[in-house]
């Protein structure tokens, strides 16, 4: 039985403080009212640990999946600061918070600078504005001294296969990339070489069909089919452009036979290619929304 406390504390406050101490390891704590819940959430945003630990509020319940006694301390300081002197702590916390804010600001500025440097060059006004954003003409040479080991044979293959150069383009939604684009002699396939400031990444052939589906044959291992939105990809890493084009025609013939469709005639303009790229971006994002990764199974109602 406790007979006295220093500093002096009334029975109710001391009982509450001891209860918080007993429950310090719990990851969920109940606020007394809306005002307290709001104050605890505001304090968590300034706390050196909790600010980045996904503190959540559900009604009056405050929770943090990865808490290690910090939530209980927030409640103690908020409720009983008139009894125990936390002024030294608050001074240190404020100093650390201001330094963290300044550091985050410096990091954002540096991130913005790096983003500007990595962006593909935009030439003139947008040539097309779609649902995913604007598209500009670009210049892959603006990335600097890219190794020519991929572009040179790609362009040689385009000339040998009779493809027509359409130009270079960059989309706002994929601002770090630029595409060197060509159109096949029969106007049923686009060819694109993709580059960033770090080098040439891949090349691919794209055909569209009368049912709206698209077939892309690519050297990128990062593309995969999204049949729910009519986007089909087949990757052949390390294959040269002529061989990839032959593989594209082979797969396209099988695609036509299997789906009973025909390739459509494509327009020989960057604007039309931008429109189709915009549509591909939107379809991809819609498919990602319909099939999200469920990697957060944390439920605030679980004990």
């Amino acid at each position: 039985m406790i007979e006295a406390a220093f500093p002096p504390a009334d029975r109710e406050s001391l009982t509450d403080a001891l209860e918080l101490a007993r429950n310090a390891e719990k990851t969920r704590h109940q606020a007394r009212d809306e005002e307290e819940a709001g104050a605890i959430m505001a304090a968590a945003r300034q706390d050196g640990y909790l600010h980045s630990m996904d503190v959540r509020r559900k009604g009056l319940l405050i929770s943090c999946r990865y808490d290690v006694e910090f939530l209980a301390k927030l409640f103690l300081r908020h409720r009983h600061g008139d009894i125990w002197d936390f002024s030294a702590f608050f001074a240190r916390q404020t100093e650390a918070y201001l330094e963290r804010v300044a550091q985050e600001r410096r990091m954002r500025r540096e991130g913005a600078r790096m983003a500007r440097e990595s962006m593909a060059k935009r030439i003139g006004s947008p040539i097309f504005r779609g649902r995913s954003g604007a598209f500009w003409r670009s210049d892959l040479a603006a990335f600097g001294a890219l190794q020519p080991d991929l572009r040179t044979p790609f362009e040689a293959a385009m000339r040998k296969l009779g493809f027509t150069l359409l130009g270079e383009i960059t989309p706002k939604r994929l601002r770090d990339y630029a595409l060197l684009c060509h159109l096949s002699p029969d106007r049923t396939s686009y060819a694109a070489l993709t580059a960033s400031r770090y080098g040439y990444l891949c090349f691919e052939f794209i055909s569209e069909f009368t049912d709206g589906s698209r077939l892309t044959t690519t050297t990128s291992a990062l593309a995969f089919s999204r049949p729910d939105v009519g986007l089909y990809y087949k990757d052949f890493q390390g294959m040269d452009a002529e061989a990839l084009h032959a593989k594209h025609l082979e797969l396209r013939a099988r695609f036509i036979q299997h789906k009973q469709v025909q390739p459509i005639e494509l327009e020989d303009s960057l604007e039309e290619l931008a429109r189709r790229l915009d549509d591909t971006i939107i379809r991809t994002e819609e498919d990602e929304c319909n099939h999200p990764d469920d990697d957060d199974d944390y439920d605030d109602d679980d004990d």
Side-chain angles (χ1 to χ4, degrees):
M1 179 177 179
I2 299 175
E3 296 183 354
F6 183 83
D10 60 78
R11 182 184 184 87
E12 181 181 354
S13 297
L14 186 57
T15 299
D16 181 62
L18 291 173
E19 185 69 16
L20 286 170
R22 278 193 293 268
N23 295 322
E25 294 185 358
K26 289 190 174 181
T27 59
R28 296 168 174 81
H29 297 270
Q30 189 81 15
R32 290 171 173 170
D33 51 38
E34 290 287 331
E35 182 180 356
E36 182 176 75
I40 294 298
M41 292 299 293
R45 287 191 288 273
Q46 293 195 20
D47 187 85
Y49 175 80
L50 292 171
H51 77 278
S52 61
M53 299 308 292
D54 192 27
V55 177
R56 302 183 182 187
R57 176 183 172 185
K58 191 173 185 179
L60 298 182
L61 183 68
I62 311 296
S63 62
C64 177
R65 185 178 189 179
Y66 306 103
D67 181 37
V68 283
E69 304 183 359
F70 288 94
L71 269 181
K73 294 176 182 178
L74 282 189
F75 278 92
L76 178 68
R77 291 192 292 266
H78 174 74
R79 291 178 180 176
H80 307 300
D82 58 336
I83 299 175
W84 290 281
D85 183 9
F86 298 112
S87 59
F89 168 82
F90 286 129
R92 292 194 302 272
Q93 183 188 58
T94 299
E95 182 180 358
Y97 171 70
L98 293 176
E99 173 55 30
R100 188 172 72 247
V101 170
Q103 184 181 43
E104 290 173 352
R105 188 177 294 117
R106 291 192 295 269
M107 292 174 64
R108 285 196 298 271
R109 284 199 294 263
E110 180 62 15
R113 183 191 65 79
M114 293 176 64
R116 287 192 298 271
E117 290 181 354
S118 66
M119 282 176 54
K121 183 177 181 179
R122 297 172 178 177
I123 299 175
S125 301
I127 60 173
F128 177 78
R129 294 183 184 274
R131 291 173 60 192
S132 71
F135 293 74
W136 289 265
R137 292 182 182 276
S138 189
D139 181 8
L140 275 65
F143 282 129
L146 297 180
Q147 293 295 324
D149 55 343
L150 195 60
R151 179 170 182 166
T152 300
F154 175 80
E155 292 184 316
M158 292 298 97
R159 290 191 294 270
K160 184 175 181 180
L161 294 170
F163 275 64
T164 301
L165 175 64
L166 299 180
E168 301 167 32
I169 189 173
T170 180
K172 181 178 181 180
R173 189 67 61 91
L174 304 172
R175 64 184 186 181
D176 293 345
Y177 303 97
L179 291 78
L180 174 65
C181 305
H182 294 73
L183 178 66
S184 65
D186 62 359
R187 300 166 66 102
T188 60
S189 297
Y190 286 124
L193 172 66
T194 302
S196 75
R197 67 175 299 193
Y198 302 107
Y200 294 104
L201 306 177
C202 68
F203 51 83
E204 53 197 21
F205 294 92
I206 308 106
S207 292
E208 185 169 339
F209 301 89
T210 48
D211 65 346
S213 58
R214 293 195 181 103
L215 172 65
T216 300
T217 311
T218 178
T219 57
S220 171
L222 302 179
F224 57 92
S225 294
R226 300 178 182 274
D228 288 352
V229 292
L231 300 178
Y232 298 88
Y233 294 86
K234 189 67 175 177
D235 67 277
F236 298 92
Q237 300 172 57
M239 189 172 283
D240 63 49
E242 287 188 64
L244 188 67
H245 178 251
K247 183 62 68 173
H248 181 73
L249 295 181
E250 176 188 332
L251 292 174
R252 194 173 74 178
R254 289 164 53 186
F255 197 90
I256 291 170
Q257 182 178 15
H258 176 70
K259 295 181 70 69
Q260 295 297 300
V261 293
Q262 291 296 321
I264 66 172
E265 185 174 299
L266 303 168
E267 295 184 20
D268 58 346
S269 70
L270 273 182
E271 293 84 350
E272 179 62 19
L273 188 147
R275 186 184 72 78
R276 297 184 186 282
L277 179 55
D278 174 70
D279 182 64
T280 296
I281 293 172
I282 294 300
R283 289 198 209 182
T284 300
E285 293 178 350
E286 289 176 349
D287 189 64
E288 289 175 346
C289 289
N290 292 332
H291 302 89
D293 292 331
D294 189 14
D295 58 358
D296 186 3
D297 58 358
Y298 179 43
D299 188 344
D300 286 337
D301 293 329
D302 292 342
D303 291 329

